[in-house]
Amino acid sequence: MAGSDQVNLIESKTVVPLNTWVLISNFKLAYNLLRRPDGTFNRHLAEFLDRKVPANANPVDGVFSFDVIIDRQTNLLSRVYRPAHAGSPSVTHLQNPVDGEIVPVIVFFHGGSFAHSSANSAIYDTLCRRLVGLCHAVVVSVNYRRAPENRHPCAYDDGWAALNWVNSRSWLKSKKDSKVHIFLAGDSSGGNIAHNVALRAVELGIDVLGNVLLNPMFGGTDRTESEKRLDGKYFVTVRDRDWYWRAFLPEGEDREHPACSPFGPRSKSLEGLSFPKSLVVVAGLDLIQDWQLKYAEGLKEAGQEVKLVYLEQATIGFYLLPNNNHFHTVMDEIAAFVNAECQ
Amino acid sequence: MKRSHQETSSVQEAPSISTNKKIKLKEEDDNMDDELLAALGYNVRSSDMADVAHKLEQLEMVLSNDDNAFNYNNTVHYNPSDLSVWAHTMLYPDLDPTRTTPSDECTTSNKRIRLGDSAYTESTTTRPVVLFYDSQETGVRLVQALVACAEAVQTENLSLAEALVKRVGSLAASQVGAMGKVATFFAEALARRIYKIHPSSVAAIDPSFEEILQMHFYDSTPYLKFAHFTANQAILEAVTTARVVHVIDLGINQGMQWPALMQALALRHGGPPSFRLTGVGHSEGIQQLGWKLAQLAQAIGVEFEFKALTVERLTDLEPEMFETRPESETVVVNSVFEFHTVLSQPGSIEKLFATVKAVKPVIITVVEQEANHNGVVFLERFNESLHYYSSLFDSLEDGVLLPSQDRVMSEAYIGRQILNVVATEGVDRTERHETLVQWRKRFGLAGFVPVNLGSDAFKQASLLLEIFGGGDGYRVEENDGSLMLAWQMRPIIATSAWKLRGGRG
């Protein structure tokens, strides 16, 4: 029922494997505990509950990782994931120049509705490792500052700092043209951050080759049809979405703010800009899909290149576990999108 | 399109195949944790999945029906990796929370299966080697030179090693900050190895001086504070109803951990227990320490008894020495950075475990450095410790301006560890740090089961860090019931707690 807290548990159980249901339900319940009605967030409990993993410079399944400090002032860390080549990397080889004519570097922004998770969260460490193998890429996962302690535009500023850092690493330059071949990617709030960092990149002259937006988090003041229809049915409620926007957007702002609504009444047109091509993945059971579809439409209407992948039966978080068709479909799409330029 | 995975379009649990795991027998399957969830940090047995799902549904209903769902903010959570137990304690918060996995039997058998099957010792035992870079050219060159030197030592190319160590020395001298200091210590350690300067001169240091160094380290970094705090929390939770608490501290040093515990005991609801402290050490100051603590105890109204046990090594300890009084007292064993020291001699750890078991403690609190500095191969040990101590030095560098004496002493304290890890061998190499994963195996094999530290301890430790204000880079992390203190996402120390399998508590 629209607006109600009653969730239709039985429906969500029929569309995902049981272990996925357990995983996402657990997140949902834990997150419910953390959001206080007054807009504050139980950060200590959030960190306690979050499963984290350390970086590992010893290759596991062909991928190794290490953490870097990008900005000491803001304590901005990122985790770098690289494909391992013959022999383990030693200390000195972590920043060896990338080996290839064209090596994509994906700057990844984890999800969590701007408030949850970290670059060292297990779910995102796993996802980033997959992306390395899939795209034969280096992945840089940004540990951006989160809401509500750090509101807009902190996350975007951190994303921008990371983009600059990546762009200026000599060891990330592809042999072909001595440039860093950069893609921006993210899920949920991370998708939103990717879009906004790309905007800044266009304005300030850093070349981004493509954006990968997985279930990106967008919204607006209207209640769309999908929000009404799907409210509470598949792990997410309109009410919790509202809470996260209130936590992220500057105090006093509403969801017409361009950060939330990039094609809404207050946003600038993208027409004529050399905005990167976008891969937008939308889950058919995600209640904010109308906003995501509007985003894809908006890009198209502004003359930008966009590929929309709509997965009718997918819920949020489908890309966290490799136990469903949607997962594999999307992984293939991402690989094709990133590697398109490597031919 | 070819796929190497199984596709699912239906409701049932989807078996998945990940490339590196062996295919298991079906019976083992059900008793094993769901692989996919395990990779994400959650331990749920496949056979429990439906039951856990049911619990989550119930929990959902309870939370949404209860207008004051935020009462749950006062609930203490334990081990969020174990969804079955977590959901259970949320549903039945008034029942005595089981703070270990519900069935100790199953835990052991899982561990036995894990130990025997190398497929399961995967990435968590491949010791993470983490490094962060300050992106300075000279820093990188310095690291390269250090590693090259270590490689030369490993391959016994001593003339090359000698040339390199000199180079490192000059590079380090021109490098400001943490990296330069770390490099200097590592260079010195390498030099001792190359020139075969005997470690016994390093070992023969006045233990009181060692304690002074540790005190400065205590004052200038949050590591020991965190260690003491989290260990004390676990102890307090384990002795809530005890009338007499007997703490055996395997490394009393300057006794910095105990005033806080005594204060907490003094404030205990219902009145303080008697507090008995047996301090193991080898310095002459222990008796005096006992006097000072006795004075504190008197001031705060806690009945206090102190005993000093001076031994050369921990393996000289025999259960009778502690003179425990099992009928009347509750015994606690505490070890901060002590357990790893006995790994230098074969058979020693088993002896220590046996001694600890014999006093029947309700809880054993253990704090250890979160690193594997006990590898057999010198080069691996070198790399691992280079990263670890780089992080540690970096944390000293950052944040609040330290009084220079504190910092210098803290650096010396850490420097001695570096020398020990890198320059010594055999019984003299006492800094044989191992990771939590490795300690879990050891404790498990010795017949102990974990006691989970909870969200309360986590929160308070986090608050302590904020107050300490030592810099933004510190974080507390929960790891399967234990707590770690990390610097810039790199865990530095870990606190864990244990009890005897089948024991009370």
Side-chain angles (χ1 to χ4, degrees), chain B residues 316-376:
Chain B
D316 294 340
L317 290 171
E318 300 289 345
E320 312 80 67
M321 292 175 175
F322 301 113
E323 293 176 339
T324 58
R325 301 158 200 160
E327 342 71 52
S328 55
E329 68 185 21
T330 302
V331 179
V332 169
V333 174
N334 182 83
S335 159
V336 175
F337 303 149
E338 293 293 336
F339 264 99
H340 66 257
T341 59
V342 306
L343 295 176
S344 55
Q345 279 176 303
S348 294
I349 187 76
E350 291 82 359
K351 166 107 201 280
L352 184 56
F353 277 137
T355 305
V356 168
K357 272 164 121 173
V359 300
K360 296 192 174 20
V362 298
I363 194 168
I364 303 148
T365 46
V366 180
V367 183
E368 285 289 329
Q369 293 90 342
E370 181 60 13
N372 181 3
H373 295 152
N374 198 20
V376 171

Side-chain angles (χ1 to χ4, degrees), chain A residues 79-82 104-108 128 131-132 137-141:
Chain A
R79 181 163 290 177
V80 179
Y81 300 85
R82 297 185 62 170
V105 180
I106 302 173
V107 180
F108 180 79
C128 287
L131 290 176
V132 171
V138 172
V139 175
V140 179
S141 181

Side-chain angles (χ1 to χ4, degrees), chain A residues 28 51 58 61 72 91, chain B residues 20 60 81 127 387 394 478:
Chain A
K28 179 186 74 179
R51 312 291 76 218
N58 296 318
D61 286 349
R72 272 188 193 268
V91 168
Chain B
N20 274 6
E60 165 99 49
S81 283
R127 177 57 207 158
H387 301 151
D394 193 64
E478 194 280 342

Side-chain angles (χ1 to χ4, degrees), chain B residues 457-479:
Chain B
F458 182 100
K459 175 177 175 178
Q460 292 179 45
S462 303
L463 285 170
L464 188 124
L465 281 183
E466 283 168 30
I467 294 168
F468 175 80
D472 234 357
Y474 293 107
R475 290 280 186 276
V476 184
E477 284 182 16
E478 194 280 342
N479 183 307

Side-chain angles (χ1 to χ4, degrees), chain A residues 19-249:
Chain A
N19 52 359
T20 301
W21 190 90
V22 163
L23 179 73
I24 302 183
S25 298
N26 176 61
F27 279 127
K28 179 186 74 179
L29 292 182
Y31 291 179
N32 288 351
L33 293 178
L34 303 171
R35 297 187 304 270
R36 299 200 193 97
D38 65 357
T40 59
F41 188 74
N42 192 338
R43 180 61 64 192
H44 292 135
L45 184 57
E47 294 300 294
F48 177 80
L49 296 175
D50 190 22
R51 312 291 76 218
K52 297 192 196 286
V53 295
N56 192 345
N58 296 318
V60 175
D61 286 349
V63 180
F64 67 95
S65 63
F66 57 97
D67 295 332
V68 291
I69 301 175
I70 290 186
D71 184 346
R72 272 188 193 268
Q73 310 279 47
T74 54
N75 203 40
L76 178 60
L77 296 164
S78 291
R79 181 163 290 177
V80 179
Y81 300 85
R82 297 185 62 170
H85 297 297
S88 297
S90 80
V91 168
T92 54
H93 299 157
L94 296 179
Q95 291 187 354
N96 260 4
V98 289
D99 185 24
E101 282 300 302
I102 298 182
V103 179
V105 180
I106 302 173
V107 180
F108 180 79
F109 302 100
H110 66 79
S113 306
F114 295 106
H116 298 280
S117 295
S118 305
N120 59 345
S121 294
I123 48 172
Y124 288 112
D125 187 86
T126 301
L127 180 59
C128 287
R129 284 170 170 277
R130 287 198 213 285
L131 290 176
V132 171
L134 198 66
C135 304
H136 308 292
V138 172
V139 175
V140 179
S141 181
V142 184
N143 199 45
Y144 58 88
R145 281 169 292 170
R146 298 163 301 187
E149 302 95 316
N150 301 288
R151 291 173 178 272
H152 170 290
C154 293
Y156 299 165
D157 290 343
D158 289 349
W160 175 243
L163 176 60
N164 268 289
W165 183 88
V166 165
N167 194 44
S168 57
R169 296 307 102 189
S170 57
W171 51 278
L172 287 177
K173 291 183 175 166
S174 293
K175 287 193 167 57
K176 176 172 170 190
D177 52 6
S178 281
K179 287 208 189 116
V180 187
H181 287 227
I182 302 174
F183 287 80
L184 299 176
D187 70 312
S188 168
S189 52
N192 178 301
I193 297 171
H195 168 78
N196 282 281
V197 172
L199 276 181
R200 217 183 282 195
V202 165
E203 237 179 283
L204 298 175
I206 291 190
D207 258 330
V208 173
L209 296 167
N211 280 359
V212 177
L213 272 54
L214 280 176
N215 300 5
M217 185 170 160
F218 295 118
T221 45
D222 295 338
R223 297 302 190 203
T224 60
E225 186 272 338
S226 64
E227 281 166 310
K228 293 184 214 170
R229 175 170 50 94
L230 296 170
D231 189 9
K233 294 214 159 81
Y234 299 98
F235 310 110
V236 187
T237 64
V238 169
R239 206 168 132 186
D240 70 60
R241 295 296 98 200
D242 287 352
W243 190 98
Y244 291 114
W245 284 119
R246 265 200 309 276
F248 173 68
L249 294 169

